[in-house]
Amino acid sequence: MSSLKELQDLIQEKYGIPSSELDPQASMREKGLDSLALAEFIFEIEDKFGIEVPDDNPNIDTLAELAALVDKVRAAKVA
Amino acid sequence: MHSVAVTGLGVVAPHGDTPEALFAALLRAESAIHPVFPELPKPAAAATVDFDASRWFTKLQLAGVDRVSQLAVAAADLAMRDAGLEAGAVDPERIGVFAGCGMGGAAALEAAYRGNGRVPPLTIPAFMPNAPASHVAMRQRAQGPVLTYSVACASSSLAIAEAAKAVQRGEVDIAIAGGSEALIVPGVVLAWQAMQTLAGFEPGEAATAVRPFAADRSGFALGEGAAFLVLESAAHARRRGARVHATLAGWGSSCDATHLTKPDAEGQARALRQALKQAGLKPGDVGYCNAHGTATRIGDVVEREALALVWGEQLDGLRVSSTKALHGHLLGAAGALEAVITVMALRERQLPPNAHGASPDPACALNLVREADTQASALEAAISSSFAFGGTNSALLFTR
């Protein structure tokens, strides 16, 4: 399972940034998703997927890393 | 000391987002007050802003930015454009922001309370009352003093006075001064209803609910919006060839120091006298007063008394209106919005009428501006009053 596509769709819907403009391997901060915006985005992700993302992940910088974390939390929830 | 020129005006108001549209609507006595939140137990009315945030923000930029800051960014930007100040035109360290705000991000706080335990992580930076000033500073790259004044209904009037002092002392070259308020959310409206200061109205009559200085007045309606002025020294304005709307010639501030919410005529008079003294004007020199005029039973009588104390036998020569009848009470943004209206009155030599005053109250006997008589062809000076809960009073005196 990969949440990447769903996260890309959510970013497009919420912030109007198409997936073509946000390289999953690139720093989200450079696209304007700074620490404040990211905190809010994670809140949205939690609402959308009904999960709780642990708040001890300060090093997340790319969308791919965020998707991997969301995958992990969702998998743990299913198990 | 430098003379302080008003070179930019920006509003995001219930009547529109240009000073001209706002002023024209006021001259027509057009009310922006309408019913809100029909789900509340008691009928409520307010004046709200039709605001398109996408003109100033991308969706991403809106993360954690409450409406109160959005309105501030827009109004300050409009004021800077009106002043002809492009980005980079002035050393950022010489630009200051002086912003009034009574409450802060009411919508953010309301959402936090109503989220059933799910509290958005940016509630605090969205809510904090100094957020509007900071957002204006980031947008305009103002790196000088960036200050917030929270003095209830006098917040933005005092912010403008404090900005003028900074200009006068040469601490800043450009001051972006004004205020914003956006608290038309159910919880806050309920709180104001509980305070018993809001105007009652029959169904279908919300627009005329606020009747300043009238015998049948019963309080005010809340309003939202933002207004900013650009202030600079007259010499700085001249050097860069800026258009000057008016001169901020005097200001006064005082505290009643008697009661938290009950107004005091002597306290108000002290602020009015200070403004006159600083401007070097006599009461008879001032042709118009944009009154605080909240249309509460006690407030209007006390304000009339304060004006009578200062103007004495010349009170009849002072034409008075409270435009809150039409745009509602913008609380922390009221002083700034009404300062813009006062400057427009001077510039256009026309006075916005004191609307909905068909039944005059002898206890508030004033020369109120009538709808059919708005010309003021000899107007040279006009004053705007703001009197706050907490007892702080502020007066701004503008000249042509």
Side-chain angles (χ1 to χ4, degrees):
Chain A
M1 179 171 68
S2 172
S3 307
L4 182 61
K5 173 77 172 67
E6 289 164 289
L7 295 190
Q8 285 170 327
D9 290 346
L10 194 57
I11 286 175
Q12 162 108 48
E13 176 196 326
K14 224 185 125 40
Y15 304 125
I17 303 173
S19 57
S20 57
E21 285 182 20
L22 186 57
D23 178 353
Q25 307 300 335
S27 167
M28 287 187 283
R29 284 167 182 79
E30 282 164 20
K31 279 286 170 191
L33 265 157
D34 63 7
S35 56
L36 291 183
L38 192 58
E40 203 198 55
F41 184 50
I42 290 174
F43 185 77
E44 295 288 332
I45 292 170
E46 290 180 334
D47 274 352
K48 186 170 173 78
F49 299 124
I51 57 173
E52 199 171 323
V53 178
D55 54 9
D56 55 354
N57 300 283
N59 297 324
I60 287 184
D61 188 40
T62 70
L63 189 58
E65 287 164 5
L66 182 61
L69 174 66
V70 171
D71 287 345
K72 201 172 101 188
V73 176
R74 291 172 85 182
K77 193 185 170 205
V78 172
Chain B
M1 293 290 244
H2 300 296
S3 166
V4 180
V6 179
T7 55
L9 300 173
V11 296
V12 179
H15 288 98
D17 60 14
T18 68
E20 289 75 17
L22 161 67
F23 196 66
L26 295 177
L27 286 177
R28 292 192 300 268
E30 221 171 87
S31 173
I33 298 167
H34 58 89
V36 292
F37 309 130
E39 70 275 19
L40 295 183
K42 265 176 73 179
T48 51
V49 172
D50 182 15
F51 182 61
D52 177 7
S54 71
R55 281 176 64 191
W56 281 275
F57 298 90
T58 65
K59 284 180 172 178
L60 185 55
Q61 287 173 328
L62 281 172
V65 184
D66 188 272
R67 184 173 175 85
V68 72
S69 295
Q70 296 172 26
L71 300 180
V73 164
D77 190 50
L78 290 168
M80 288 292 272
R81 284 192 224 173
D82 182 54
L85 284 162
E86 304 291 328
V90 176
D91 176 0
E93 289 184 33
R94 301 288 301 163
I95 305 176
V97 178
F98 302 78
C101 186
M103 184 172 177
L109 204 55
E110 183 104 342
Y113 287 141
R114 287 170 180 264
N116 291 321
R118 286 283 292 159
V119 179
L122 301 188
T123 299
I124 295 295
F127 166 73
M128 60 187 197
N130 61 325
S134 298
H135 283 290
V136 169
M138 288 188 282
R139 184 61 62 106
Q140 300 299 333
R141 209 165 161 251
Q143 296 177 334
V146 173
L147 304 171
T148 297
Y149 299 84
S150 192
V151 196
C153 312
S155 299
S156 53
S157 178
L158 283 163
I160 292 167
E162 293 295 309
K165 289 180 200 171
V167 167
Q168 208 173 44
R169 289 193 295 255
E171 292 170 5
V172 295
D173 289 335
I174 294 290
I176 307 169
S180 61
E181 201 77 87
L183 41 60
I184 314 299
V185 295
V188 176
V189 170
L190 282 169
W192 277 101
Q193 284 182 332
M195 185 87 208
Q196 310 278 339
T197 53
L198 298 186
F201 60 95
E202 297 299 320
E205 294 179 3
T208 56
V210 182
R211 299 186 282 273
F213 304 110
D216 55 353
R217 69 188 181 279
S218 65
F220 57 86
L222 296 170
E224 66 169 358
F228 279 86
L229 286 68
V230 172
L231 304 181
E232 58 193 296
S233 73
H236 192 267
R238 216 169 20 246
R239 271 200 302 280
R240 67 181 192 88
R243 172 189 53 176
V244 175
H245 293 290
T247 297
L248 177 48
W251 50 88
S253 94
S254 67
C255 186
D256 299 339
T258 51
H259 192 278
L260 200 64
T261 57
K262 193 175 137 203
D264 176 62
E266 228 352 290
Q268 297 176 4
R270 284 195 291 275
L272 295 165
R273 284 193 200 102
Q274 272 181 36
L276 285 164
K277 187 177 171 195
Q278 192 190 358
L281 295 179
K282 294 193 239 0
D285 298 328
V286 181
Y288 170 63
C289 171
N290 187 294
H292 186 57
T294 52
T296 59
R297 294 306 307 172
I298 181 169
D300 286 7
V301 176
V302 171
E303 181 164 12
R304 190 266 172 200
E305 197 186 328
L307 290 170
L309 282 171
V310 179
W311 265 259
E313 287 176 0
Q314 286 162 314
L315 185 60
D316 280 351
L318 179 70
R319 299 173 73 188
V320 178
S321 65
S322 165
T323 45
K324 287 187 177 75
L326 304 172
H327 53 62
H329 192 347
L330 272 67
L331 304 171
L337 183 73
E338 291 161 26
V340 169
I341 293 164
T342 306
V343 168
M344 288 298 290
L346 265 177
R347 208 184 80 181
E348 304 298 317
R349 284 189 155 152
Q350 278 195 292
L351 308 181
N354 187 76
H356 316 144
S359 339
D361 180 354
C364 306
L366 288 164
N367 183 359
L368 297 170
V369 181
R370 286 176 295 116
E371 283 172 43
D373 185 19
T374 58
Q375 293 298 321
S377 49
L379 186 67
E380 292 292 339
I383 197 163
S384 172
S385 312
S386 299
F387 308 133
F389 274 6
T392 298
N393 308 297
S394 179
L396 301 174
L397 179 45
F398 296 94
T399 55
R400 276 172 66 97

